[in-house]
Amino acid sequence: MLESVSVEILFKFLMVIVFGFLTGLELREYLYAKKSPVTIGTTRTFTFIALVGFVLNLISKPLFIAGFVVLSLFLLVFYLYKINHNQKGILQILVAFITYNFGALVDISIFLVPLVYVAIVFIISAKSKISNLMDKIDNEELVTFSKFLILSVIILPILPKENVIPYVSISPFKIWVAVVVVSSISYISYILQKYFLASAGIVVTGVLGGVYSSTATTVVLAKKKVDSLVEGSIVVATGVMYLRLLVIIAIFNMTLAEMLVIPFVSLFLISLVIFLFLKERKNNITDSFDSNPLEMEVAFVFAGLFIVMAAITQFVTTHFGNLGLQILSVIVGFTDIDPFILSLVQGKYAVSNSNLVQAILIAVASNNILKAIYLGVFSKWQMKKAFGSLILLAVLTLGWAGYFYLI
């Protein structure tokens, strides 16, 4: 027993020493490249800091805390010295604090120290890239993201999980979850396109636009000069929309998602084939979308539409059954289909799952027709290949709806 304990302590000791040394080495390389005249010490300094933290933590927790206080006083003196030499950065101090805690982290899990070391290396190495990215990001977007994060974290836990809204068979909690999920998926696409892949080309615009909003992408690209690659990218945006909807539906209703896997994936593949057929030459045109999908006004409007669509769907299915639902799907397709589809996959209606799948497919087909009309109007009916492709996808989507009607 004693021997096994000694081996465990030896292993943790070696891990702390090694990663303390590597941390000091990484920081030394960074400071050397930066030509910093004031440093906290050499690689050996950080190795000793890690060693002291390990030993004191091994002896007793109060002693470890006392050591932390002493280290803090030493680092305070070091920082005052830095200020006198016109240096205000606290990177060395933060790394020293983290290194001291290696001894405590290794007691929690042997994997924590390597993970923390990797994080330190990444942050130090990526400092210039992170700085450049932060310079590019609009402060308003950071404020918007913070507001949305706070509202999601604070509002979500306190929302009722029971159905308390009249004529709506979905709880406020599920409604806001849907808002968070859809907005987050769109936001990831928005950030990738605007800050990381801004010059990646028109095809990337189509792919990410399909995740963000295939309708908005169609309108943006329709205004471009007629080009086979632009037309192909419009079709790709609609193809990606099928995958996006499949993911969203799977999050909230796996049964309906399983029924839609073959239709949606096949329609995506058909759109991909059409793109490859249309693609003839390279084009580096790109466009981003100015509207941040995390804007609070957008989120609340989406939630409002969700409630309205859920109430209308409940009323229609109760009084008019499946026929009323299908007619409603056609009409909704000419608006924003996300709230309608989410109300279908989360609500409890007096229709079968096959009827719900039909409604989703009809709404998507109707939305494809709307995009084709937008494309024709904004391109002045010049992008005939893309127009025909969107109509074809709409017809094929209706074909799948017919299949679920017959089975």
Side-chain angles (χ1 to χ4, degrees), residues 361-397:
L361 289 165
I362 292 172
V364 172
S366 179
N367 190 250
N368 283 351
I369 294 173
L370 173 67
K371 284 181 284 189
I373 294 171
Y374 279 151
L375 176 61
V377 171
F378 287 106
S379 70
K380 298 179 180 178
W381 305 99
Q382 295 298 308
M383 297 187 182
K384 297 177 182 178
K385 296 176 183 177
F387 177 85
S389 299
L390 291 179
I391 295 297
L392 174 62
L393 288 171
V395 171
L396 292 174
T397 306

Side-chain angles (χ1 to χ4, degrees), residues 37-40 74-88 93:
V38 181
T39 63
I40 199 170
F74 170 77
L75 292 175
L76 175 62
V77 173
F78 170 71
Y79 186 64
L80 294 174
Y81 179 76
K82 281 191 69 176
I83 291 176
N84 290 333
H85 288 75
N86 298 319
Q87 291 191 9
K88 298 180 180 180
I93 296 171

Side-chain angles (χ1 to χ4, degrees), residues 151-256:
L151 284 174
S152 299
V153 173
I154 294 176
I155 289 181
L156 201 55
I158 64 174
L159 287 175
K161 295 184 179 180
E162 298 78 24
N163 302 341
V164 295
I165 304 174
Y167 309 109
V168 176
S169 61
I170 306 169
S171 69
F173 179 84
K174 287 185 177 180
I175 291 172
W176 195 251
V177 167
V179 173
V180 172
V181 169
V182 174
S183 299
S184 298
I185 291 174
S186 298
Y187 186 66
I188 291 170
S189 170
Y190 171 81
I191 290 296
L192 284 173
Q193 186 174 17
K194 187 166 184 178
Y195 295 108
F196 295 95
L197 300 170
S199 59
I202 202 74
V203 178
V204 173
T205 299
V207 172
L208 295 179
V211 179
Y212 176 84
S213 168
S214 59
T215 304
T217 305
T218 300
V219 172
V220 168
L221 297 183
K223 298 176 183 178
K224 297 297 177 186
K225 181 180 177 181
V226 179
D227 181 276
S228 295
L229 195 57
V230 174
E231 292 191 74
S233 298
I234 291 172
V235 177
V236 163
T238 293
V240 172
M241 172 203 68
Y242 287 107
L243 297 183
R244 171 181 177 271
L245 289 176
L246 185 60
V247 170
I248 292 173
I249 292 170
I251 292 172
F252 297 103
N253 193 321
M254 185 56 71
T255 301
L256 293 183

Side-chain angles (χ1 to χ4, degrees), residues 223-372:
K223 298 176 183 178
K224 297 297 177 186
K225 181 180 177 181
V226 179
D227 181 276
S228 295
L229 195 57
V230 174
E231 292 191 74
S233 298
I234 291 172
V235 177
V236 163
T238 293
V240 172
M241 172 203 68
Y242 287 107
L243 297 183
R244 171 181 177 271
L245 289 176
L246 185 60
V247 170
I248 292 173
I249 292 170
I251 292 172
F252 297 103
N253 193 321
M254 185 56 71
T255 301
L256 293 183
E258 289 173 352
M259 297 173 71
L260 285 164
V261 165
I262 295 177
F264 276 4
V265 171
S266 64
L267 290 165
F268 165 73
L269 293 175
I270 290 170
S271 70
L272 195 60
V273 170
I274 294 172
F275 163 75
L276 294 174
F277 175 76
L278 292 176
K279 181 182 176 183
E280 292 180 357
R281 58 193 177 87
K282 294 182 178 179
N283 188 321
N284 290 322
I285 300 171
T286 186
D287 261 295
S288 59
F289 302 95
D290 295 329
S291 176
N292 187 330
L294 289 191
E295 290 287 350
M296 294 316 302
E297 293 83 357
V298 176
F300 284 121
V301 168
F302 185 93
L305 286 173
F306 190 117
I307 295 171
V308 170
M309 287 299 174
I312 292 174
T313 304
Q314 186 70 49
F315 176 82
V316 168
T317 54
T318 302
H319 293 84
F320 303 100
N322 182 47
L323 178 61
L325 179 61
Q326 309 314 322
I327 294 173
L328 178 64
S329 301
V330 175
I331 298 171
V332 168
F334 285 84
T335 62
D336 185 357
I337 62 174
D338 283 352
F340 175 67
I341 290 176
L342 283 167
S343 69
L344 291 181
V345 300
Q346 290 198 78
K348 295 178 181 178
Y349 305 108
V351 293
S352 66
N353 283 340
S354 293
N355 294 147
L356 293 176
V357 169
Q358 290 174 50
I360 291 171
L361 289 165
I362 292 172
V364 172
S366 179
N367 190 250
N368 283 351
I369 294 173
L370 173 67
K371 284 181 284 189

Side-chain angles (χ1 to χ4, degrees), residues 104-125:
L105 291 174
V106 79
D107 265 354
I108 300 172
S109 171
I110 59 172
F111 299 107
L112 271 179
V113 174
L115 285 174
V116 171
Y117 168 73
V118 170
I120 291 172
V121 172
F122 172 78
I123 294 171
I124 291 176
S125 302

